[in-house]
Amino acid sequence: MSFLIKGGTVVGPAGPTPADVLVDGETIAAVFAPDRGPEDVETIDATGKYVIPGAIDAHTHMQMPFGGTEASDTFATGTRAAAFGGTTTIVDFAIQRYGEVVQDGLAAWHAKTAGNCHIDYGFHMILGGVDDESLKAMDQLVADEGITSFKLFMAYPGVFYSDDGQILRAMQKARDNGAMIMMHAENGPAIDVLVKQALERGETDPYYHGVTRPQELEAEATSRAIWLASVAADCPLYIVHLSASKALEQVAAARDAGRNVFAETCPQYLYLTLEDQLGAPGFEGAKWVCSTPLRSKHESHRADLWRGLRTNDLAVVSTDHCPFCMKDQKEMGVGDFSKIPNGIGGVEHRVDLLYQGVVDGKLSLGRWVETIATTPARMFGMYPRKGVIAPGSDADIVLYDPAGRTRIGVETHHMNMDYSAWEGWEIAGKVDTVISRGAVLVQGDEYKGRAGHGRYVPRGLSEYLV
Ligand code: DUC
Ligand code: ZN
Ligand code: ZN
């Protein structure tokens, strides 16, 4: 089926241009100057709307076993919620646990997703055990499975933690096969000492989750990862969920030196704080327990992160969507913050929350699209199939209403969470229509998608490497 998206303003990294977009089947057939397209096709009226590439969330954890429980969104509920928010592709993290065959971990994630996803999806691979076998598996995943990025953890000793020698070996392998190393950069052994000391002092509230993960331990790990990658002949390195000014300084210095170092941040670090959210009265703060943690409002983190997005020291905004309900899940940590499962759900809200940054004068329109769609596609080997409105690309398209408003809350969101980290926020802009490979998934408040529409996206290498 063909249709013309007519009368809108197409926005790409270079900014806004009035244009009409012809969709034929699953792909974009042509982009026309206004009123120059065919007249004998169905039209979707985009007057007054931005027409942007479907957003790509390069960091999600649907139904992830973690912290003694499992993330509360399934691939079905989470990808449906993502679609409501204008996201048409996610890259989730398949997991190899310590001692497990990497390919078995991957097969488990394919089994979870098959037939369940409402939008397209790819996988990064978490390596929970770096050894000869898993290093060999990295080559196979890059060559045959469309998995070109591997996450390692400098935190969580005894769970996902890799030591420096393991990290270096994985980086050397990535340098050889072109893969990206994604790093959870926090000094886990040092954090564990601080956590134990805090609990011994009776500091058990969620607030202390943040206090025991100071920015110095994020900056130190970020710096160490950057130097290890340097030793591995400038292996491609991507710092995930960067939250703190001092960590950003490390990334900026590496980038100024011309290194293959990249970073993402997440909406929670751009807006929320240690004091106002994690420090909420009683156990409320558990809603915002995530790692890396929210940072102090008395320091310049949020302003620095917005600036980093403008200067490209932060290339991508992802959500790190890792939702847990308060009931029975976050509650596991009543009386001991270290038992609160780490994670915030937000896959539905990233596009809107970043658009608010445009309205606030913190990002240009072009940079909005670049950080939520185009760069994730290029960073993770999906471009130009995804992340751009151009002939031949998948017809993943969002009509965005800049005059609309979005009110966020548990009553209206579609994620499987019994609270919202953004409860009561009313922000500018509204997702109007969401199209995935030519199929309309969302029109106004109506949902027209289905589980099983989403397909696995095998990925190539990052485009940004030198
Ligand atoms: N790191 C993540 O990237 N996601 C969830 C928890 C964590 O520590
Ligand atoms: Zn992490
Ligand atoms: Zn994550």
Side-chain angles (χ1 to χ4, degrees):
M1 182 185 131
S2 293
F3 57 89
L4 187 68
I5 301 170
K6 196 169 160 44
T9 300
V10 171
V11 185
T17 319
D20 297 342
V21 180
L22 181 65
V23 173
D24 186 22
E26 296 197 347
T27 55
I28 295 170
V31 180
F32 293 98
D35 301 325
R36 296 291 179 87
E39 288 175 2
D40 56 348
V41 288
E42 253 186 59
T43 58
I44 295 182
D45 181 11
T47 305
K49 310 283 191 316
Y50 293 132
V51 179
I52 67 171
I56 299 172
D57 194 337
H59 188 155
T60 68
H61 303 277
M62 306 301 174
Q63 59 195 89
M64 177 203 197
F66 190 55
T69 180
E70 184 165 298
S72 58
D73 264 319
T74 63
F75 278 94
T77 63
T79 56
R80 181 173 179 272
F84 268 106
T87 290
T88 53
T89 306
I90 58 166
V91 190
D92 202 86
F93 287 80
I95 298 179
Q96 175 237 4
R97 299 197 166 276
Y98 178 77
E100 187 181 23
V101 173
V102 172
Q103 285 86 349
D104 291 349
L106 175 58
W109 255 256
H110 275 300
K112 291 181 202 225
T113 49
N116 291 322
C117 292
H118 290 244
I119 58 171
D120 290 352
Y121 59 95
F123 296 131
H124 312 286
M125 191 85 215
I126 287 175
L127 295 181
V130 175
D131 56 22
D132 291 347
E133 285 308 306
S134 58
L135 289 170
K136 206 161 7 135
M138 287 174 74
D139 284 337
Q140 196 261 326
L141 263 56
V142 171
D144 305 330
E145 306 289 350
I147 294 179
T148 54
S149 39
F150 297 85
K151 185 177 178 193
L152 301 174
F153 287 76
M154 301 170 100
Y156 303 125
V159 187
F160 291 131
Y161 176 78
S162 291
D163 66 28
D164 290 352
Q166 291 172 310
I167 289 169
L168 181 60
R169 291 186 75 200
M171 286 178 164
Q172 289 169 332
K173 175 59 79 180
R175 177 73 262 188
D176 287 346
N177 64 27
M180 180 77 78
I181 293 295
M182 305 175 78
M183 191 62 76
H184 180 127
E186 286 187 296
N187 184 325
I191 287 168
D192 281 1
V193 169
L194 296 182
V195 168
K196 185 164 176 292
Q197 291 170 346
L199 292 173
E200 281 167 2
R201 286 193 296 269
E203 296 168 350
T204 59
D205 285 348
Y207 175 77
Y208 295 100
H209 170 79
V211 173
T212 55
R213 305 180 92 92
Q215 70 156 332
E216 287 78 0
L217 296 183
E218 183 181 352
E220 182 276 329
T222 303
S223 166
R224 186 157 33 100
I226 288 169
W227 285 119
L228 288 168
S230 172
V231 172
D234 201 18
C235 148
L237 174 66
Y238 178 98
I239 306 292
V240 295
H241 48 56
L242 189 148
S243 69
S245 302
K246 287 185 195 299
L248 179 59
E249 283 170 21
Q250 306 302 317
V251 169
R255 291 186 55 74
D256 288 349
R259 296 279 311 282
N260 280 325
V261 172
F262 312 95
E264 69 176 16
T265 192
C266 312
Q268 50 270 34
Y269 307 118
L270 292 165
Y271 287 104
L272 310 179
T273 67
L274 170 69
E275 293 82 6
D276 292 338
Q277 277 78 32
L278 257 184
F283 191 64
E284 249 335 67
K287 293 175 176 172
W288 296 278
V289 165
C290 58
S291 296
T292 52
L294 303 183
R295 298 299 177 188
S296 175
K297 68 178 178 185
H298 303 302
E299 296 163 343
S300 60
H301 305 285
R302 289 174 295 172
D304 290 343
L305 295 180
W306 283 110
R307 178 176 39 78
L309 284 174
R310 291 193 294 277
T311 60
N312 202 35
D313 288 326
L314 294 169
V316 170
V317 180
S318 308
T319 57
D320 194 5
H321 178 75
C322 191
F324 298 101
C325 291
M326 283 295 270
K327 184 164 165 25
D328 296 337
Q329 294 196 302
K330 293 280 186 182
E331 276 174 9
M332 291 161 61
V334 172
D336 178 351
F337 68 83
S338 72
K339 295 197 164 57
I340 301 169
N342 285 204
I344 289 185
V347 75
E348 191 168 346
H349 304 311
R350 182 182 58 125
V351 171
D352 292 318
L353 287 165
L354 266 289
Y355 183 69
Q356 182 65 43
V358 175
V359 172
D360 293 343
K362 291 175 172 153
L363 280 189
S364 68
L365 260 185
R367 193 69 187 141
W368 171 52
V369 169
E370 196 167 28
T371 54
I372 62 172
T374 310
T375 299
R378 299 184 68 185
M379 185 71 71
F380 294 111
M382 294 180 281
Y383 188 91
R385 180 170 164 193
K386 306 284 188 192
V388 61
I389 296 201
S393 297
D394 282 356
D396 296 351
I397 301 170
V398 174
L399 274 58
Y400 197 79
D401 181 1
R405 295 197 62 81
T406 299
R407 198 176 159 75
I408 305 180
V410 68
E411 293 303 325
T412 49
H413 76 198
H414 302 87
M415 302 176 289
N416 185 34
M417 293 175 70
D418 63 1
Y419 75 97
S420 172
W422 309 89
E423 187 64 49
W425 283 48
E426 189 176 324
I427 52 179
K430 189 168 182 1
V431 171
D432 178 82
T433 302
V434 180
I435 299 165
S436 160
R437 280 183 286 102
V440 175
L441 305 187
V442 178
Q443 205 154 33
D445 292 326
E446 200 185 334
Y447 193 71
K448 302 180 163 195
R450 62 173 176 85
H453 167 80
R455 283 192 203 138
Y456 177 64
V457 182
R459 297 181 294 110
L461 300 181
S462 175
E463 277 192 15
Y464 286 112
L465 311 183
V466 290

